[in-house]
Short mmCIF file of all heavy atoms in Angstrom, two decimals:
data_model
loop_
_atom_site.label_atom_id
_atom_site.label_comp_id
_atom_site.label_asym_id
_atom_site.label_seq_id
_atom_site.Cartn_x
_atom_site.Cartn_y
_atom_site.Cartn_z
N ASP A 202 -17.17 24.72 12.18
CA ASP A 202 -17.67 24.39 13.50
C ASP A 202 -18.18 22.96 13.61
O ASP A 202 -18.65 22.55 14.64
CB ASP A 202 -18.82 25.36 13.86
CG ASP A 202 -19.92 25.28 12.80
OD1 ASP A 202 -19.71 24.63 11.76
OD2 ASP A 202 -20.99 25.87 13.03
N GLY A 203 -18.12 22.21 12.54
CA GLY A 203 -18.80 20.90 12.58
C GLY A 203 -17.89 19.71 12.86
O GLY A 203 -18.32 18.58 12.76
N TYR A 204 -16.60 19.94 13.16
CA TYR A 204 -15.64 18.86 13.44
C TYR A 204 -15.55 17.89 12.25
O TYR A 204 -15.47 16.67 12.42
CB TYR A 204 -16.03 18.09 14.71
CG TYR A 204 -16.13 18.98 15.93
CD1 TYR A 204 -17.28 19.71 16.21
CD2 TYR A 204 -15.06 19.13 16.80
CE1 TYR A 204 -17.38 20.54 17.31
CE2 TYR A 204 -15.14 19.96 17.92
CZ TYR A 204 -16.31 20.66 18.16
OH TYR A 204 -16.39 21.47 19.25
N PRO A 209 -12.01 14.48 17.66
CA PRO A 209 -12.21 15.35 18.82
C PRO A 209 -11.55 14.74 20.06
O PRO A 209 -11.34 13.53 20.13
CB PRO A 209 -13.73 15.40 19.00
CG PRO A 209 -14.31 14.78 17.77
CD PRO A 209 -13.28 13.86 17.24
N SER A 213 -14.61 13.16 23.40
CA SER A 213 -15.61 13.41 22.36
C SER A 213 -16.99 13.37 23.00
O SER A 213 -17.22 12.64 23.95
CB SER A 213 -15.55 12.33 21.30
OG SER A 213 -14.28 12.31 20.70
N ASN A 214 -17.90 14.18 22.42
CA ASN A 214 -19.27 14.28 22.92
C ASN A 214 -19.31 15.11 24.22
O ASN A 214 -18.35 15.80 24.54
CB ASN A 214 -19.92 12.91 23.09
CG ASN A 214 -21.39 12.93 22.73
OD1 ASN A 214 -22.12 13.81 23.18
ND2 ASN A 214 -21.84 12.01 21.91
N ARG A 215 -20.42 15.03 24.94
CA ARG A 215 -20.66 16.03 25.99
C ARG A 215 -20.30 15.56 27.39
O ARG A 215 -20.38 14.36 27.70
CB ARG A 215 -22.14 16.42 25.98
CG ARG A 215 -22.49 17.25 24.75
CD ARG A 215 -23.94 17.60 24.71
NE ARG A 215 -24.18 18.55 23.63
CZ ARG A 215 -24.29 18.21 22.34
NH1 ARG A 215 -24.22 16.95 21.98
NH2 ARG A 215 -24.47 19.12 21.42
N ASP A 234 -20.58 24.60 25.07
CA ASP A 234 -21.87 24.20 24.49
C ASP A 234 -22.92 24.59 25.53
O ASP A 234 -23.38 23.75 26.29
CB ASP A 234 -21.85 22.69 24.23
CG ASP A 234 -23.13 22.22 23.54
OD1 ASP A 234 -23.48 22.80 22.50
OD2 ASP A 234 -23.76 21.27 24.04
N LEU A 239 -18.27 20.19 25.15
CA LEU A 239 -18.48 19.38 23.95
C LEU A 239 -17.17 19.15 23.21
O LEU A 239 -16.43 20.11 22.94
CB LEU A 239 -19.49 20.08 23.02
CG LEU A 239 -19.74 19.43 21.65
CD1 LEU A 239 -20.40 18.06 21.78
CD2 LEU A 239 -20.60 20.34 20.77
N HIS A 240 -16.89 17.89 22.88
CA HIS A 240 -15.78 17.53 21.98
C HIS A 240 -14.44 18.13 22.42
O HIS A 240 -13.66 18.59 21.59
CB HIS A 240 -16.08 17.96 20.55
CG HIS A 240 -17.20 17.18 19.90
ND1 HIS A 240 -17.46 15.87 20.16
CD2 HIS A 240 -18.14 17.56 18.97
CE1 HIS A 240 -18.49 15.46 19.43
NE2 HIS A 240 -18.92 16.46 18.72
N THR A 308 -12.80 9.40 19.00
CA THR A 308 -13.59 8.91 17.88
C THR A 308 -13.18 9.67 16.63
O THR A 308 -12.32 10.55 16.68
CB THR A 308 -15.10 9.11 18.14
OG1 THR A 308 -15.85 8.41 17.15
CG2 THR A 308 -15.52 10.58 18.10
N HIS A 310 -14.97 12.00 13.58
CA HIS A 310 -16.22 12.74 13.35
C HIS A 310 -16.49 12.95 11.86
O HIS A 310 -16.96 14.01 11.43
CB HIS A 310 -16.14 14.08 14.08
CG HIS A 310 -17.46 14.65 14.48
ND1 HIS A 310 -18.36 15.15 13.58
CD2 HIS A 310 -18.04 14.78 15.70
CE1 HIS A 310 -19.43 15.59 14.22
NE2 HIS A 310 -19.26 15.38 15.51
N TYR A 312 -18.33 12.92 8.36
CA TYR A 312 -19.71 12.97 7.87
C TYR A 312 -19.71 12.17 6.58
O TYR A 312 -19.10 12.59 5.59
CB TYR A 312 -20.14 14.40 7.57
CG TYR A 312 -20.30 15.29 8.78
CD1 TYR A 312 -19.20 15.77 9.48
CD2 TYR A 312 -21.56 15.69 9.21
CE1 TYR A 312 -19.35 16.60 10.58
CE2 TYR A 312 -21.72 16.53 10.30
CZ TYR A 312 -20.60 16.98 10.98
OH TYR A 312 -20.75 17.81 12.06
N HIS A 339 -30.79 19.30 26.10
CA HIS A 339 -29.44 19.79 25.80
C HIS A 339 -28.57 18.69 25.19
O HIS A 339 -27.35 18.81 25.16
CB HIS A 339 -28.78 20.34 27.06
CG HIS A 339 -29.59 21.42 27.71
ND1 HIS A 339 -29.66 22.69 27.19
CD2 HIS A 339 -30.40 21.41 28.79
CE1 HIS A 339 -30.48 23.42 27.93
NE2 HIS A 339 -30.94 22.66 28.92
N CYS A 340 -29.22 17.63 24.76
CA CYS A 340 -28.51 16.51 24.14
C CYS A 340 -27.62 15.78 25.13
O CYS A 340 -26.62 15.17 24.76
CB CYS A 340 -27.72 16.99 22.92
SG CYS A 340 -27.64 15.79 21.62
N ALA A 376 -33.73 17.55 18.70
CA ALA A 376 -32.41 17.72 18.07
C ALA A 376 -32.54 18.12 16.60
O ALA A 376 -31.52 18.35 15.94
CB ALA A 376 -31.61 16.42 18.19
N TYR A 379 -31.47 13.11 13.99
CA TYR A 379 -30.78 12.17 14.88
C TYR A 379 -29.53 12.82 15.48
O TYR A 379 -28.70 13.39 14.76
CB TYR A 379 -30.38 10.90 14.13
CG TYR A 379 -31.57 10.06 13.73
CD1 TYR A 379 -32.06 10.09 12.44
CD2 TYR A 379 -32.21 9.26 14.67
CE1 TYR A 379 -33.17 9.34 12.07
CE2 TYR A 379 -33.32 8.50 14.33
CZ TYR A 379 -33.80 8.54 13.02
OH TYR A 379 -34.89 7.80 12.68
N ASP A 380 -29.45 12.77 16.78
CA ASP A 380 -28.24 13.17 17.51
C ASP A 380 -28.30 12.38 18.80
O ASP A 380 -28.64 12.90 19.86
CB ASP A 380 -28.24 14.69 17.76
CG ASP A 380 -26.88 15.19 18.21
OD1 ASP A 380 -25.98 14.35 18.40
OD2 ASP A 380 -26.72 16.42 18.37
N ILE A 381 -28.00 11.10 18.70
CA ILE A 381 -28.37 10.17 19.76
C ILE A 381 -27.33 9.06 19.87
O ILE A 381 -26.78 8.64 18.87
CB ILE A 381 -29.79 9.59 19.46
CG1 ILE A 381 -30.41 8.93 20.67
CG2 ILE A 381 -29.81 8.69 18.25
CD1 ILE A 381 -31.08 9.88 21.60
N GLN A 413 -22.67 7.27 18.29
CA GLN A 413 -23.44 8.52 18.20
C GLN A 413 -23.86 8.68 16.75
O GLN A 413 -23.03 8.79 15.85
CB GLN A 413 -22.60 9.72 18.65
CG GLN A 413 -23.35 11.04 18.66
CD GLN A 413 -24.25 11.23 19.88
OE1 GLN A 413 -24.09 10.53 20.89
NE2 GLN A 413 -25.18 12.17 19.82
N LEU A 414 -25.17 8.66 16.54
CA LEU A 414 -25.72 8.85 15.21
C LEU A 414 -26.11 10.32 15.10
O LEU A 414 -26.96 10.81 15.85
CB LEU A 414 -26.95 7.95 15.04
CG LEU A 414 -27.76 8.15 13.78
CD1 LEU A 414 -26.93 7.81 12.54
CD2 LEU A 414 -29.02 7.28 13.82
N TYR A 415 -25.46 11.02 14.19
CA TYR A 415 -25.69 12.46 14.06
C TYR A 415 -25.90 12.79 12.59
O TYR A 415 -25.06 12.48 11.75
CB TYR A 415 -24.49 13.24 14.63
CG TYR A 415 -24.61 14.74 14.44
CD1 TYR A 415 -25.69 15.43 14.95
CD2 TYR A 415 -23.65 15.46 13.73
CE1 TYR A 415 -25.82 16.81 14.77
CE2 TYR A 415 -23.77 16.83 13.54
CZ TYR A 415 -24.87 17.50 14.07
OH TYR A 415 -25.00 18.85 13.87
N ALA A 417 -26.13 15.70 10.97
CA ALA A 417 -25.73 17.05 10.52
C ALA A 417 -26.88 18.04 10.65
O ALA A 417 -27.10 18.87 9.76
CB ALA A 417 -25.20 17.00 9.08
N ASN A 418 -27.59 17.94 11.77
CA ASN A 418 -28.80 18.76 11.95
C ASN A 418 -28.50 20.25 12.01
O ASN A 418 -29.34 21.07 11.65
CB ASN A 418 -29.52 18.36 13.24
CG ASN A 418 -29.69 16.87 13.34
OD1 ASN A 418 -29.92 16.21 12.34
ND2 ASN A 418 -29.54 16.31 14.52
N THR A 419 -27.30 20.59 12.49
CA THR A 419 -27.00 22.02 12.68
C THR A 419 -25.93 22.53 11.71
O THR A 419 -25.44 23.64 11.86
CB THR A 419 -26.53 22.28 14.13
OG1 THR A 419 -25.41 21.43 14.38
CG2 THR A 419 -27.62 22.00 15.14
N LEU A 420 -25.57 21.70 10.73
CA LEU A 420 -24.57 22.18 9.74
C LEU A 420 -25.27 23.21 8.86
O LEU A 420 -26.18 22.86 8.10
CB LEU A 420 -24.10 21.04 8.85
CG LEU A 420 -22.80 20.32 9.11
CD1 LEU A 420 -22.35 19.59 7.85
CD2 LEU A 420 -21.69 21.20 9.63
N CYS A 438 -22.87 11.17 10.60
CA CYS A 438 -21.73 10.76 11.43
C CYS A 438 -22.09 9.47 12.15
O CYS A 438 -23.20 9.35 12.70
CB CYS A 438 -21.41 11.81 12.47
SG CYS A 438 -21.00 13.41 11.79
N GLU A 440 -20.30 7.90 15.00
CA GLU A 440 -19.18 8.13 15.93
C GLU A 440 -19.10 6.99 16.94
O GLU A 440 -19.93 6.90 17.85
CB GLU A 440 -19.37 9.48 16.64
CG GLU A 440 -19.50 10.65 15.69
CD GLU A 440 -20.15 11.86 16.35
OE1 GLU A 440 -19.68 12.30 17.41
OE2 GLU A 440 -21.15 12.36 15.80
N GLN A 442 -17.88 5.25 20.09
CA GLN A 442 -17.38 5.92 21.28
C GLN A 442 -17.93 5.37 22.58
O GLN A 442 -18.82 4.51 22.58
CB GLN A 442 -17.73 7.41 21.20
CG GLN A 442 -19.19 7.67 21.00
CD GLN A 442 -19.53 9.15 20.88
OE1 GLN A 442 -20.28 9.66 21.69
NE2 GLN A 442 -19.00 9.85 19.90
C1 BGC B 766 -22.83 16.04 18.50
C2 BGC B 766 -23.78 17.14 18.06
C3 BGC B 766 -22.97 18.31 17.58
C4 BGC B 766 -22.06 17.85 16.47
C5 BGC B 766 -21.18 18.93 15.91
C6 BGC B 766 -21.99 15.66 17.32
O1 BGC B 766 -21.09 14.67 17.69
O2 BGC B 766 -23.53 14.92 18.99
O3 BGC B 766 -24.66 17.52 19.10
O4 BGC B 766 -23.81 19.36 17.15
O5 BGC B 766 -21.26 16.80 16.92
O6 BGC B 766 -20.55 19.62 16.89
#
Side-chain angles (χ1 to χ4, degrees):
D202 57 351
Y204 303 84
S213 300
N214 217 312
R215 289 178 172 80
D234 184 52
L239 174 65
H240 292 327
T308 190
H310 207 289
Y312 291 73
H339 303 286
C340 214
Y379 291 101
D380 194 355
I381 196 83
Q413 183 80 17
L414 173 63
Y415 176 58
N418 311 324
T419 56
L420 261 199
C438 301
E440 304 160 53
Q442 55 182 241

